[in-house]
Amino acid sequence: ETEDEHLKLFCAKEMLDLVQNVGGIWPKISQNLAVRPDIIKDDFARNKLKETQSGNKNAGKEATIEYIRSQNVTLRLGGEQVPILDILDYDSFLSAGSVGQVDMFQLRTGSPNARSFLDTYIP
């Protein structure tokens, strides 16, 4: 245990970076440890671990699109399954939490599938 605030900040940042880079279950475990002073005695470290609730990193546009493709996400339009990326274009990253990420997509203009989507799902 140290009282050196610079050392605490450095170590806490390193710990947070490692947890966020490893990903998987570790951010969720860190969130639980953040509220357990019986396990993590240092208040500074626990407060840094709380950042795993909302301060996780953006996977990036390419990784997000590749993930959606790998999951074969489709919508039923006019009796057929249409890949969702035939209808939507990636717009921007909004937020990342411990188990997921939120991105904004826009309806692809000029796409016949987008028109069919509007006709089917928007009254």
Side-chain angles (χ1 to χ4, degrees):
E1 193 169 313
T2 181
E3 296 303 317
D4 182 337
E5 294 297 315
H6 293 292
L7 181 59
K8 282 185 175 185
L9 179 61
F10 175 79
C11 290
K13 183 174 178 349
E14 287 290 310
M15 177 181 57
L16 181 62
D17 287 346
L18 285 170
V19 166
Q20 290 175 327
N21 287 334
V22 171
I25 190 71
W26 292 107
K28 197 48 94 177
I29 291 170
S30 297
Q31 288 172 20
N32 286 292
L33 290 173
V35 296
R36 295 290 308 269
D38 58 317
I39 297 173
I40 306 292
K41 307 252 184 252
D42 188 85
D43 290 339
F44 198 86
R46 280 196 323 279
N47 286 333
K48 203 66 173 168
L49 287 173
K50 288 178 183 176
E51 291 181 29
T52 59
Q53 295 174 349
S54 62
N56 292 297
K57 296 180 180 176
N58 175 4
K61 176 182 177 178
E62 292 77 22
T64 299
I65 290 172
E66 182 53 39
Y67 178 78
I68 292 169
R69 281 195 181 110
S70 75
Q71 298 301 304
N72 297 314
V73 180
T74 62
L75 288 173
R76 180 174 294 282
L77 296 176
E80 68 177 271
Q81 295 296 122
V82 176
I84 199 157
L85 292 175
D86 285 359
I87 300 165
L88 300 174
D89 284 323
Y90 184 91
D91 183 16
S92 59
F93 165 78
L94 295 177
S95 174
S98 61
V99 294
Q101 165 169 324
V102 178
D103 296 276
M104 185 178 301
F105 287 77
Q106 298 286 329
L107 200 57
R108 183 173 284 180
T109 57
S111 163
N113 286 327
R115 181 77 254 159
S116 177
F117 170 81
L118 289 173
D119 293 342
T120 303
Y121 292 101
I122 310 295

